[in-house]
Amino acid sequence: MPPPIILHSPQTLLHHSVELVGHKLIPAHECADRVQQILKALADNGFAVTECDPPTTGITKLSIPECIHSQPYLKHLETIFDQFLNSNMVEEEGCILPECFPHKKLLETVHPTAKGDIVTGKDMGNPELPSDPYAHLGYYSFDMSTGMSKHTFKSAIASASLAVKAITIMTADTFPASGAVFALTRPPGHHACHEIAGGYCYINNIAVAAEYLLSRLKPEPPTSSQSRVVILDLDFHHGNGTQSIFYNRREPAYVSIHGKGEYPYYTGFASERGNDDGEGYNHNLPLPARPNSTRNDYFGVLDTALEIIRETWKPEYLLVSMGFDTFRKDILGGFELDIPDYKEIGARIRALGLPIAVFLEGGYEEELGSLAVSFVQGLTGED
Ligand code: OKS
Ligand code: ZN
């Protein structure tokens, strides 16, 4: 198999942020250097990278469907930093963070119709949103790790554009039957809900990609229990955003392996199986963090996920949210995987024999480049 087509856009490097950890505000672990490390390691190992700048299938906020992100949310992402800047509430090179959130329990007594939270990702239902920029920032975020700076929106759009480009490549007639494409999406996407940013994510890249892919498939109804598009989420953290966006839908189906009881804390339980048409099309496989699980446990759960995909959903396409924060040293993760394990993951995914599009999510250690190379080697089928 030829190596995966790897996509990168320099615009994804413009975003920078800070995050609150305990009582300290620090530069965000999610930084441009992550992509630079991956690019360097790929180059050192002879893997070609396709640069897309300006992204050739560049999307705009208007081309993101309403079912993925609401237009008011995207408009917020586009304009909020400049609102702070114009009111002298932040410096040009600075970064803004929310301070107050419309917590479900603040709203439920006074707005009985208000429902929704990060499980469903639905509008919180508060009928009045004051014009104070902080009100908007809190309304459209769920944590204090997802700050915004001057070029955050530009990077988020470039990242989602790469995701769409990956689909265009994967669905081309010339694409090999079990080939792979790997989009170096940054900022990541899997925590971003319909209208909530969080966990370093603003636009849900894999959700935009999945919707674009489905819109290109013929509208034939799939046979019972099948889902033509499956999202496999291998980041250490549960992809609450992706889950919530597709929770009521049969396509795409979603399956995730993630740290049990870890960030984002309130979702990712095995009991979350999907609703309405989506019932049975959401599968969470939480695995305890070290020292309560081993790499063998991990590969056992990976095989369970792959079996659900192969035997139950029988997709035509596989989309992967790939986080490298499952690495044994990762500061934000807690699994036991080592560098060669990513090659094994790549090989097991490839063995499904499907066209695969991979999207970068987390991964924060200095070995990130080696982890990505190992994974790409597995996808390629290198010995
Ligand atoms: C606390 C850090 C919060 C962890 C965010 C996890 C991001 C991630 N300031 N998601 O997949 O890697
Ligand atoms: Zn993660």
Side-chain angles (χ1 to χ4, degrees), residues 285-307:
L285 301 169
L287 179 68
R290 61 174 173 260
N292 297 314
S293 70
T294 64
R295 69 174 284 289
N296 272 349
D297 295 331
Y298 182 88
F299 279 104
V301 177
L302 179 62
D303 282 343
T304 303
L306 296 176
E307 190 181 302

Side-chain angles (χ1 to χ4, degrees), residues 215-228:
S215 76
R216 297 186 62 152
L217 298 184
K218 291 196 201 79
E220 306 160 356
T223 56
S224 179
S225 93
Q226 197 196 344
S227 186
R228 293 170 298 176

